[in-house]
Amino acid sequence: MVVAALGPRGEEPTAQIPAVPATTRHDAERGPTRQIDDRNPVRRPDRGPGAAGPRAARPNAPTPALDTTALMGAVPRLPARDDEPTAAGPAAGPPRQPRRGERVVQLRPEQTDEGYRSVYSELTRPTVWSRLRTGVRVSGELLITFGLVVLLFAGYEVWGKSAIVGAHQSDLSQQLEQSWGPQGDPTVAPSATPAPRTTPSPPVNGKPIAGLYIPSLDKNWVVVEGVTQKDIRYAPGHYPKSAMPGELGNFSVAGHRNRATFWRLDELDDGDAIVVETKERWYVYRVSQSRIVKPSQVEVVAPVPGRPGAKPTERMLTLTTCNPKFDNYERLIIHAKMERSQDKSAGRPAELGG
């Protein structure tokens, strides 16, 4: 029902519409909104050019914070936590105390006399313990590297050098056989007319001259001429001024103390056989003496060992090498006397299983 009433001061009557309770609309996705009167809508004022949004805010009315990134429209933001910093600054209250084992570092740069100190200076500043740990780590790496180098060197001395010397010994053996020429069939009787004898040419340094066998050590080598480092690098070498195999005097041979050459020479005992092979004959020597001397005692390779200048009366063999193993401040000397010789046509000596 509509009731007409006169306004104050004779104004035109206005229609009074009974007030209808406002209804509350609720959207499950948008949340609660302001109350709207369906029968008496509120007239919205025109927005001016300076309006900030689609709807002008009423004065003195709180506006909830909305999240405009929602998929289904604007929704209220979640309340901020106490320990979460806001636009106005960090949360009120005392700062959190560091836990045990944590280190608090000032992240803001600090001004000093030399300028601003780096933000990470506290984290990167070395300490006594950090320097100690670095020193221990570097020392450990150096020791490990040194150990690997030593192991590689030992492996080379044991296996690498032996393989290299063995390969060169095989080549020297072929060269020695070629220099001797064919020996013929030992079962065929020699011709009644002897072959003319020729004077052997002097040996050349580095060239093979004889074979050397030590049955007790199960070792054999090709002996070359000369005792320089180049000559005896892969084979025992004959002292140039000493006697040749089987001659009156002292047939002297030097060799390195490595596993491929005279490594086990100290295992020889008195009476052990040492056999020397030449183009036409075998010479069997027996060990008579072993001793250790200084490197300066060169009289051990004299025609009469230990007596330089004396006239020889025996056929001797002398082997020399470094002592002790892996060093060279001494010399190991093996002396042997010739026991017998035999022609190659008679076969190999019994000491070699002939």
Side-chain angles (χ1 to χ4, degrees), residues 12 53 73 127 163 211 265 272:
E12 294 181 359
T127 62
L265 209 61
D272 288 345

Side-chain angles (χ1 to χ4, degrees), residues 49-305:
R55 182 179 301 173
R58 291 178 296 175
N60 302 328
T63 302
L66 301 180
D67 187 359
T68 59
T69 61
L71 296 178
M72 300 302 295
V75 296
R77 293 182 180 176
L78 296 176
R81 294 181 299 178
D82 295 339
D83 58 348
E84 189 176 81
T86 61
R96 184 178 66 84
Q97 296 297 327
R99 299 173 184 172
R100 184 176 182 181
E102 291 182 346
R103 182 183 177 189
V104 179
V105 178
Q106 181 68 27
L107 295 182
R108 294 184 178 180
E110 297 180 5
Q111 187 176 8
T112 62
D113 296 338
E114 299 178 356
Y116 283 94
R117 188 172 58 179
S118 172
V119 174
Y120 303 99
S121 60
E122 292 293 335
L123 296 175
T124 59
R125 179 181 299 173
T127 62
V128 175
W129 291 109
S130 65
R131 290 191 178 96
L132 181 61
R133 287 193 299 268
T134 302
V136 171
R137 182 172 63 252
V138 172
S139 301
E141 293 176 355
L142 291 177
L143 290 176
I144 292 174
T145 303
F146 178 75
L148 291 177
V149 172
V150 171
L151 288 177
L152 291 175
F153 176 76
Y156 169 75
E157 286 290 332
V158 174
W159 296 289
K161 186 173 290 186
S162 298
I164 295 174
V165 172
H168 282 271
Q169 280 287 312
S170 178
D171 295 339
L172 291 173
S173 179
Q174 295 179 4
Q175 295 178 23
L176 186 63
E177 292 179 359
Q178 293 176 1
S179 64
W180 286 347
Q183 299 296 321
D185 190 352
T187 60
V188 178
S191 175
T193 304
R197 306 188 69 176
T198 58
T199 303
S201 58
V204 180
N205 285 1
K207 297 298 182 180
I209 61 172
L212 180 66
Y213 301 81
I214 303 181
S216 61
L217 302 181
D218 194 21
K219 291 288 186 179
N220 66 279
W221 304 273
V222 175
V223 180
V224 299
E225 180 69 14
V227 292
T228 64
Q229 291 295 326
K230 182 180 179 180
D231 297 332
I232 65 175
R233 185 176 182 181
Y234 305 114
H238 168 245
Y239 285 86
K241 295 183 179 180
S242 66
M244 295 299 290
E247 291 182 353
L248 191 66
N250 187 9
F251 174 56
S252 302
V253 178
H256 283 304
R257 193 73 179 273
N258 54 49
R259 292 185 178 273
T261 316
F262 285 168
W263 181 262
R264 300 172 55 194
L265 209 61
D266 57 334
E267 300 178 15
L268 289 176
D269 298 325
D270 291 350
D272 288 345
I274 301 177
V275 182
V276 178
E277 178 188 11
T278 62
K279 180 179 180 180
E280 298 177 352
R281 300 189 67 83
W282 296 95
Y283 300 94
V284 181
Y285 296 83
R286 297 285 176 178
V287 176
S288 59
Q289 185 183 14
S290 299
R291 55 176 176 160
I292 296 175
V293 300
K294 297 179 180 180
S296 58
Q297 295 180 250
V298 295
E299 63 272 12
V300 296
V301 296
V304 179

Side-chain angles (χ1 to χ4, degrees), residues 313-325:
T313 58
E314 296 179 313
R315 292 172 173 83
M316 301 284 297
L317 167 67
T318 299
L319 303 179
T320 68
T321 188
C322 298
N323 190 76
K325 296 176 179 178

